[in-house]
Amino acid sequence: MSLDVVILFLEQGIVSGLVIGSIYALLALALVIIFKTSEVPNFAQGEFYMAGAYVALFLVVFENIPTVLALPVTLVVCFLGAALFQKFVLTRVWKAKGSPINLVIATLGLSYLLKGLVRNTGFGDSPRTFPSLVSTDSITIGQASLTYLDATIFCTAVAVMIALFLLFNFTQLGRALRALGMNPKAAQLVGINLSRMNMVVWGLSGAISAAAAILVAPKLLVSADMGHVVIMAFAAAIVGGFASLPGAVVGGFVIGIAENLVGLFVSSQAIAVAPFLAILIVLLIRPQGLLGGRVALKKV
Amino acid sequence: MNRTVPVLGSIAGLLVLLAVGAFSGGYQIYIANLLLVFIVLSLGLHVVIGEAGQFALAHAAFYGIGIYVAALTTNAWGLPFPLPILAAGLVAGLIGIGLGAVALRMRDIYLALATFAFGEAMQWVFSTWTGVTGGPNGLHISPTRVFGITILNDTAAYPLMAALTVLMVVIAVLLSRSRAGRSFRAVRESEVAAVAMGVPVRRTKIAAFAISAAFAGVAGGMFSIFSTYINPDSLGFQTTITVLTMVVVGGLGSIFGAVSGAILFGLASEFLRQAPSYQEIIYGGILMFFMMFAPRGFFSGIADRLEASRRG
């Protein structure tokens, strides 16, 4: 492989990696905000994302509702869906037997339920295309090429991340959520409504997943199995330490770029196993993640 | 739980095993064989999650390892029964020790994620290592030979399968009543308390992983007795979830629950095979329902009621 090709591959890999990585970063953020407050790895995250894509598809393609209206409605629907799941299912599971394993099994249950429901609606029988709102003409940066759609995905995703950053750092709600993540009991003592905050976190997570789905849907086919991509988000979250918001963002970009470079330099077959190897290696060598400060190990 | 329920349960189980062998044929006996495999798989998951409380999600991988080891030793060297099954259990158990040693560093969700990743990576190995596993095209499994007799169909395999299942259930019961079983439960309830009582937590956890993996490996070996073909598609996360559902429905932490959950849910999933979408809805719905309303499982719930009415 000549040097020119290597440089071209590197540039293309990094540019494409940043685009897809921004989606992974959003999904990883959605996982991490839930984990920070509820200590639950949400195995239904991928299906929140899939459901978001289907709600948008249903409104835009089948009901012909104008996009300006349809997309906010999608976000609200996903916010409410996730929040209600937390309120009516998870609270009850926690009361039945206060064990994190039971919560995880409940999210696994939800992921299968949503997949089956979507397949049964009649929209989920075969993969569908989602219309692109921006042009798919390509532009070149350096030697790498990407489409206007790619650029839009990246910019919007970064805007969502900035909005989240502002929310968590500079609003009353964000401070309450952070307090909940640090010490639920103390948070309750200073007057934070725990059950409402938990609902807000799950709702936010659902809305972020839906946003990621709407952004990336025109690039891929919408199908009942599209939630598989969440494994990349798990890898990103683990790379970032699973409890750190900046970590999740960096992890998303790292995984996105690594995926593209592996595809270009090694083989497309190796892409399939790369995220699992990344998870295993990071958990083995640095279980607290590359950026995580808090050590996740509890020595006996 | 008092002794009546397990004793009656075992007698009923043996009678059902004999009746199935005597009165059914063809498709029913195939389903019966499949259920026996699921019983052994459930027992394996019961050991690591139910007894030791380690949330491992790589069961399908060990099952697959067992199937491929048994199939390859049968195909290549024509090893007679029970050698392929022993090899399957041994190899899966050894890899389980490896995963257990790694898993010592993690708890709860990190463990779930790492074992999940391991399972997915193993499925990738099964479908990519074409030279050995046949890759996505699958692998033909030669018939097993037992003491000079070649097993050609499900009916011939059934007595052997039933005997192996009874053996594995007995091993699981003995294990649960042994010092090791008590150590597992001590670790599950509180690692700190277990250490204080002199339970070697590290060794205990590794043992739980290894035994669970060996059970799955044996289940894989059993599958290779009556099946002539294996494809990596059936060795993914879905299979782990199926077995997890069985154990949860039956009741986490009870052998009786694991066995009856496997039978009940194995039958249900066989009936639902024609409608994969309903299958997903029902699996998902059941997992959520049991976590919300009966976290100790269907059968434990009944046993508790019996117990309560006797005392009451």
Side-chain angles (χ1 to χ4, degrees):
Chain A
M1 198 180 274
S2 73
L3 191 62
D4 288 348
V5 180
V6 171
I7 291 174
L8 171 65
F9 274 18
L10 270 178
E11 286 187 11
Q12 184 68 51
I14 290 172
V15 169
S16 311
L18 285 174
V19 172
I20 194 69
S22 64
I23 297 295
Y24 298 159
L26 281 185
L27 288 174
L29 278 173
L31 280 172
V32 166
I33 60 171
I34 285 185
F35 183 70
K36 268 179 87 88
T37 49
S38 329
E39 298 265 311
V40 181
N42 179 11
F43 272 87
Q45 191 74 57
E47 280 62 38
F48 282 175
Y49 159 85
M50 182 270 291
Y54 269 97
V55 172
L57 184 80
F58 175 75
L59 293 175
V60 173
V61 178
F62 292 93
E63 298 292 313
N64 284 319
I65 291 173
T67 322
V68 206
L69 193 64
L71 298 188
V73 170
T74 306
L75 295 184
V76 171
V77 167
C78 290
F79 184 99
L80 289 178
L84 292 178
F85 173 71
Q86 198 282 330
K87 170 138 178 86
F88 288 107
V89 179
L90 290 185
T91 319
R92 169 82 221 174
V93 171
W94 187 254
K95 268 187 203 146
K97 186 168 184 273
S99 144
I101 289 181
N102 291 35
L103 293 174
V104 175
I105 295 179
T107 67
L108 278 171
L110 179 69
S111 86
Y112 274 78
L113 187 70
L114 282 176
K115 256 193 277 187
L117 284 175
V118 165
R119 265 192 247 280
N120 266 14
T121 53
F123 303 118
D125 46 357
S126 58
R128 288 169 191 275
T129 48
F130 193 87
S132 176
L133 302 177
V134 281
S135 125
T136 47
D137 295 342
S138 51
I139 41 179
T140 13
I141 298 177
Q143 297 183 62
S145 84
L146 76 168
T147 64
Y148 282 104
L149 176 63
D150 289 333
T152 314
I153 292 177
F154 179 77
C155 296
T156 319
V158 171
V160 173
M161 291 171 210
I162 292 173
L164 272 178
F165 174 78
L166 296 177
L167 171 76
F168 270 91
N169 285 292
F170 298 106
T171 66
Q172 190 67 28
L173 176 68
R175 274 191 287 273
L177 292 176
R178 272 162 48 211
L180 177 60
M182 285 171 201
N183 188 338
K185 272 191 189 134
Q188 201 165 20
L189 281 178
V190 296
I192 292 170
N193 184 336
L194 275 194
S195 73
R196 186 181 304 156
M197 284 306 141
N198 270 318
M199 277 177 73
V200 169
V201 167
W202 278 79
L204 260 182
S205 172
I208 297 170
S209 314
I214 293 170
L215 284 175
V216 82
K219 239 173 114 73
L220 331 151
L221 294 173
V222 176
S223 80
D225 292 315
M226 68 189 282
H228 278 316
V229 74
V230 76
I231 188 60
M232 295 297 193
F234 270 113
I238 286 175
V239 167
F242 225 103
S244 138
L245 300 184
V249 172
V250 173
F253 288 124
V254 166
I255 293 287
I257 292 172
E259 180 197 19
N260 273 278
L261 292 180
V262 165
L264 289 168
F265 284 104
V266 187
S267 78
S268 57
Q269 222 182 6
I271 288 182
V273 79
F276 309 115
L277 291 182
I279 292 178
L280 282 174
I281 292 169
V282 173
L283 284 181
L284 267 180
I285 298 170
R286 246 184 103 77
Q288 73 272 40
L290 300 180
L291 294 181
R294 194 183 60 159
V295 179
L297 290 180
K298 266 191 201 163
K299 285 263 192 285
V300 174
Chain B
M1 210 194 293
N2 74 23
R3 304 189 67 114
T4 333
V5 177
V7 170
L8 286 180
S10 332
I11 294 173
L14 286 175
L15 286 178
V16 169
L17 274 181
L18 289 174
V20 168
F23 299 117
S24 38
Y27 178 68
Q28 286 106 316
I29 210 93
Y30 164 77
I31 299 301
N33 283 336
L34 210 55
L35 286 184
L36 294 176
V37 168
F38 273 117
I39 289 177
V40 177
L41 278 175
S42 297
L43 287 174
L45 203 61
H46 153 80
V47 169
V48 74
I49 297 187
E51 297 254 351
Q54 305 296 307
F55 197 37
L57 290 175
H59 216 53
F62 292 113
Y63 177 49
I65 290 168
I67 296 178
Y68 282 111
V69 167
L72 291 169
T73 50
T74 310
N75 288 358
W77 303 319
L79 289 184
F81 176 85
L83 295 178
I85 290 205
L86 285 177
L90 196 67
V91 172
L94 287 176
I95 297 176
I97 290 181
L99 188 66
V102 171
L104 282 180
R105 297 168 54 97
M106 306 162 206
R107 290 159 56 96
D108 299 340
I109 68 123
Y110 292 93
L111 179 61
L113 290 171
T115 50
F116 167 72
F118 173 78
E120 295 293 297
M122 278 314 296
Q123 195 190 15
W124 183 83
V125 169
F126 295 148
S127 55
T128 317
W129 198 6
T130 25
V132 173
T133 64
N137 295 329
L139 181 71
H140 172 77
I141 307 172
S142 303
T144 309
R145 284 186 305 115
V146 187
F147 310 123
I149 306 163
T150 307
I151 291 182
L152 288 174
N153 57 42
D154 293 324
T155 318
Y158 180 77
L160 195 58
M161 301 285 294
L164 282 168
T165 307
V166 172
L167 176 70
M168 297 311 283
V169 172
V170 169
I171 292 178
V173 171
L174 292 180
L175 179 76
S176 159
R177 293 184 177 181
S178 70
R179 187 188 175 84
R182 288 193 295 276
S183 311
F184 288 161
R185 291 187 291 276
V187 169
R188 177 187 70 192
E189 294 307 324
S190 161
E191 287 189 19
V192 178
V195 170
M197 300 299 289
V199 173
V201 169
R202 298 169 61 88
R203 270 216 319 266
T204 307
K205 279 190 186 176
I206 294 183
F209 270 91
I211 293 169
S212 161
F215 267 78
V218 169
M222 287 169 64
F223 178 82
S224 77
I225 292 180
F226 73 96
S227 181
T228 55
Y229 175 78
I230 178 62
N231 182 298
D233 285 349
S234 56
L235 299 172
F237 193 52
Q238 167 90 48
T239 305
T240 301
I241 291 301
T242 308
V243 180
L244 178 67
T245 313
M246 289 171 172
V247 177
V248 166
V249 169
L252 269 176
S254 122
I255 290 177
F256 179 72
V259 173
S260 37
I263 297 172
L264 196 78
F265 208 73
L267 283 176
S269 78
E270 197 51 43
F271 286 127
L272 292 168
R273 191 165 289 281
Q274 300 308 321
S277 55
Y278 287 107
Q279 194 173 348
E280 282 174 336
I281 293 178
I282 292 170
Y283 280 22
I286 286 182
L287 281 177
M288 278 168 61
F289 178 86
F290 273 87
M291 284 302 108
M292 287 166 76
F293 300 107
R296 276 171 36 78
F298 188 61
F299 296 96
S300 292
I302 292 179
D304 288 348
R305 294 273 149 74
L306 285 178
E307 185 85 339
S309 67
R310 197 182 314 274
R311 292 221 181 104

